[in-house]
Amino acid sequence: MELDYILAIISSVISFFAVCVSLYSVHQSQKTALTGTYFSEMAKAYSDYLCCVSEFVFRRGLAERNELAAALYRLQLFASREIAMDAQNLYIFVLDWAASNPTGALTVDEQVNDLGGKMREHLSHARKRGHF
């Protein structure tokens, strides 16, 4: 009888650990899904902002300006402090640039390339870490 009792305890302990491992696995999979979604949204916000900058530079319309402003606010939800400030500065620069009725966009292009490089670096770093 004592052997049956010991085997029942061992089987209960193993079952308890199996339940704990299952709960941990479910928690980790939910965390991974959330992290993947967050990363995807961050990448999309970065891409949308850069696209809106280029659309505004080429067309300079009110609709493009409004889309650029919305993209900036969305980007600020995901960006690092440095990227958010650089994006804000680029937004102000592009609005001033468009108001001056310019003919070339080399300065805008340089700033967009610099910001795009910082965004790529941030995305790469976030992907390697796996969290934000």
Side-chain angles (χ1 to χ4, degrees), residues 40-46 48 69-79:
S40 176
E41 289 296 316
M42 180 173 42
K44 183 161 175 29
Y46 285 0
D48 289 349
L72 173 65
Y73 297 142
R74 184 165 183 267
L75 172 136
Q76 291 174 340
L77 293 173
F78 300 100

Side-chain angles (χ1 to χ4, degrees), residues 6-22:
I6 291 172
L7 290 176
I9 289 175
I10 290 173
S11 110
S12 296
V13 169
I14 291 172
S15 297
F16 176 74
F17 282 126
V19 168
C20 290
V21 168
S22 295

Side-chain angles (χ1 to χ4, degrees), residues 8 13 18 29 34 43 58 61 63-65 76-77 83 90 95 98 109 116 121 125:
V13 169
S29 73
L34 181 62
F58 288 117
E64 288 81 15
R65 185 196 66 200
Q76 291 174 340
L77 293 173
I83 290 173
L90 177 60
L95 290 180
D109 188 53
E121 201 173 291
H125 185 66

Side-chain angles (χ1 to χ4, degrees), residues 85-130:
M85 292 185 70
D86 286 352
Q88 179 70 40
N89 291 337
L90 177 60
Y91 173 75
I92 292 168
F93 178 80
V94 167
L95 290 180
D96 290 341
W97 174 84
S100 70
N101 200 16
T103 56
L106 290 178
T107 308
V108 174
D109 188 53
E110 289 173 8
Q111 289 188 19
V112 168
N113 285 333
D114 289 344
L115 181 59
K118 289 178 184 178
M119 289 174 173
R120 272 191 308 279
E121 201 173 291
H122 185 233
L123 289 170
S124 175
H125 185 66
R127 184 181 308 132
K128 287 177 187 174
R129 283 188 314 175

